[in-house]
Amino acid sequence: INACDLPVKHDELEKLFEKNVKVTICPNGHQVVWISDYIIYSVEAKNIEAVVAQYGPSTRPGAVVGGQTSCKAPEMAAFEKHLPAGTEIVSCHSLHGPGVDPKSQPLVLIKHRASQESFDMVKDMLSCFQSKQVSLTAEEHDRITADTQAVTHAAFLSMGTAWSQGRNFPWENPRYIGGIENVKINVTLRIYSNKWHVYAGLAILNPAAKKQVRQYAESATQLYTLMLGGHRDELRQRIEQAKAAVFKEGVGEDDLLLRDDVLDRFSLGEIPPERVKNNHLSLLAMVDCWWKLGIVPYNHMICSTPLFRLWLGITQYLFKNPKLLDEAIDTAISDTSFRNDDLQFVIAAQTWSEFVRFGEMDGYRQKFEEIQEYFAPRFPGAVQIGNEMIKTILEKTES
């Protein structure tokens, strides 16, 4: 293995791998790409163009090149522009975050410009992850990640923003403790404990993501407007239409991805004696968004991330439980105690949508890190509980 990182990290990496004779830390990327058979660019999506422009022309003829960015359009454009004609391109993307065991998780492989022999070589090299390998084109990858990851992240980012703007720590409020509320809180904190560029690159640089994120903001706004106006019948009709379009007929109680007895185990706060009602605007907006975009989430299960399966699980949990769905609609119309939280959520969804729409990397980073700082004191415990929750739930939802 030949590797390099930023020049300032060279000595640190050499020391880290000094006893591993199979790893050579090179002084720069030029040396790596000249002596290696398969080259992987593990850089942020926003930097892929600059890094490939710097080192790509030095690539040894016949080498196979790939990247691990979450958005393949700019990655492929950079490879096509800067790599010598005699090189091949096979890219990859593990569809899970840090802390998740790669075994059985989706690993997308993209045969962009390569022989079958080179593609098989990459498949064999990456088989050590024991992941579920899925072959897609770059365009298919970006469309599926937009349908699943980008809009899912927008929902969690908006919840975190709303809680921080209201100066709320949700685990201290009985309204947000227990059941599917635990998923909302744990995954939101998990996202904000990571690097901002992971989510910004996936949303802003993915050509297919803008429409999805925008529709989520519009769905949240329109549903909230119906709630404010007290339009019960219109709200119910819209929710039922979305439900019929998104959720398969024949999915019964026994097929629910998530259940109370599992979810209640992963609470950051003390579960109240009696569950507090919630209108679940974030979940209603998600299903409405899928309906408006013509997305059937079950079609993407083979390429689904752990977070997407959790998100689908709690939306299904709500929509396939008639009593709980009726309660959410009734709460949305009759209970005004959620109005301020919901307003903050709608504003947050619109804000993230505007960052994505205008390609505002700096604004995205500033907002993300501001909220990250607010929740930071609880990250260690939340991430540990979140990892346990994801591991347990994935064991119950693996297809």
Side-chain angles (χ1 to χ4, degrees), residues 74-87:
E75 180 182 299
M76 294 305 158
F79 287 158
E80 291 175 351
K81 183 178 179 180
H82 301 293
L83 293 179
T87 56

Side-chain angles (χ1 to χ4, degrees), residues 173-210:
N173 188 336
R175 179 182 299 167
Y176 298 112
I177 297 176
I180 57 181
E181 304 298 341
N182 289 345
V183 176
K184 294 179 185 178
I185 293 172
N186 286 326
V187 175
T188 296
L189 292 186
R190 181 184 179 85
I191 285 175
Y192 277 108
S193 70
N194 289 325
K195 299 291 187 180
W196 69 276
H197 64 77
V198 173
Y199 309 101
L202 192 148
I204 292 175
L205 300 178
N206 188 335
K210 288 182 172 62

Side-chain angles (χ1 to χ4, degrees), residues 262-367:
V262 176
L263 297 175
D264 281 344
R265 291 162 50 189
F266 302 103
S267 177
L268 288 177
E270 185 175 344
I271 297 177
E274 187 173 337
R275 182 177 55 81
V276 179
K277 297 178 181 179
N278 192 329
N279 63 40
H280 297 298
L281 175 57
S282 62
L283 301 180
L284 299 180
M286 187 74 262
V287 176
D288 188 87
C289 173
W290 284 334
W291 167 46
K292 293 292 185 179
L293 293 170
I295 295 172
V296 178
Y298 299 98
N299 293 345
H300 297 321
M301 290 303 284
I302 194 170
C303 290
S304 62
T305 64
L307 296 192
F308 178 73
R309 294 203 287 282
L310 285 173
W311 192 232
L312 175 58
I314 60 176
T315 54
Q316 185 199 62
Y317 179 97
L318 172 63
F319 275 78
K320 298 301 291 185
N321 184 329
K323 182 179 179 181
L324 189 59
L325 188 58
D326 286 344
E327 179 184 285
I329 295 171
D330 184 64
T331 303
I333 298 297
S334 306
D335 188 346
T336 61
S337 61
F338 278 87
R339 291 289 190 257
N340 184 60
D341 285 5
D342 290 339
L343 174 61
Q344 294 292 347
F345 175 79
V346 169
I347 293 172
Q350 293 172 342
T351 299
W352 289 111
S353 175
E354 293 300 283
F355 286 147
V356 173
R357 178 187 174 194
F358 294 111
E360 274 288 331
M361 282 283 187
D362 291 339
Y364 194 109
R365 178 177 187 170
Q366 184 177 349
K367 173 61 71 174

Side-chain angles (χ1 to χ4, degrees), residues 75-124:
E75 180 182 299
M76 294 305 158
F79 287 158
E80 291 175 351
K81 183 178 179 180
H82 301 293
L83 293 179
T87 56
E88 298 183 272
I89 302 171
V90 178
S91 235
C92 61
H93 182 205
S94 293
L95 296 180
H96 59 83
V100 176
D101 187 345
K103 185 178 181 180
S104 299
Q105 296 302 322
L107 169 61
V108 173
L109 297 175
I110 298 170
K111 181 186 174 186
H112 188 71
R113 188 179 78 195
S115 65
Q116 187 61 42
E117 181 181 2
S118 295
F119 186 59
D120 290 341
M121 177 195 74
V122 174
K123 290 174 66 176
D124 185 57

Side-chain angles (χ1 to χ4, degrees), residues 127-263:
S127 65
C128 61
F129 293 132
Q130 297 182 281
S131 296
K132 182 170 55 181
Q133 296 185 352
V134 182
S135 296
L136 297 174
T137 66
E139 293 78 11
E140 288 170 337
H141 169 275
D142 284 356
R143 178 177 54 80
I144 290 173
T145 54
D147 288 353
T148 56
Q149 295 187 61
V151 73
T152 302
H153 296 157
F156 288 113
L157 290 170
S158 299
M159 281 187 275
T161 306
W163 288 326
S164 68
Q165 291 300 114
R167 313 312 293 173
N168 287 325
F169 290 112
W171 53 85
E172 296 176 353
N173 188 336
R175 179 182 299 167
Y176 298 112
I177 297 176
I180 57 181
E181 304 298 341
N182 289 345
V183 176
K184 294 179 185 178
I185 293 172
N186 286 326
V187 175
T188 296
L189 292 186
R190 181 184 179 85
I191 285 175
Y192 277 108
S193 70
N194 289 325
K195 299 291 187 180
W196 69 276
H197 64 77
V198 173
Y199 309 101
L202 192 148
I204 292 175
L205 300 178
N206 188 335
K210 288 182 172 62
K211 181 173 70 172
Q212 277 85 339
V213 176
R214 183 61 197 162
Q215 181 58 56
Y216 185 72
E218 290 180 359
S219 291
T221 302
Q222 291 164 7
L223 291 176
Y224 181 62
T225 300
L226 293 175
M227 295 175 185
L228 279 180
H231 302 298
R232 183 187 298 271
D233 292 342
E234 192 176 345
L235 177 65
R236 176 175 292 280
Q237 182 182 22
R238 181 159 175 164
I239 290 172
E240 291 294 342
Q241 281 184 282
K243 174 184 175 181
V246 170
F247 293 102
K248 300 186 228 180
E249 285 295 325
V251 177
E253 178 67 25
D254 292 339
D255 298 311
L256 289 177
L257 297 178
L258 304 179
R259 308 180 76 91
D260 272 333
D261 57 347
V262 176
L263 297 175

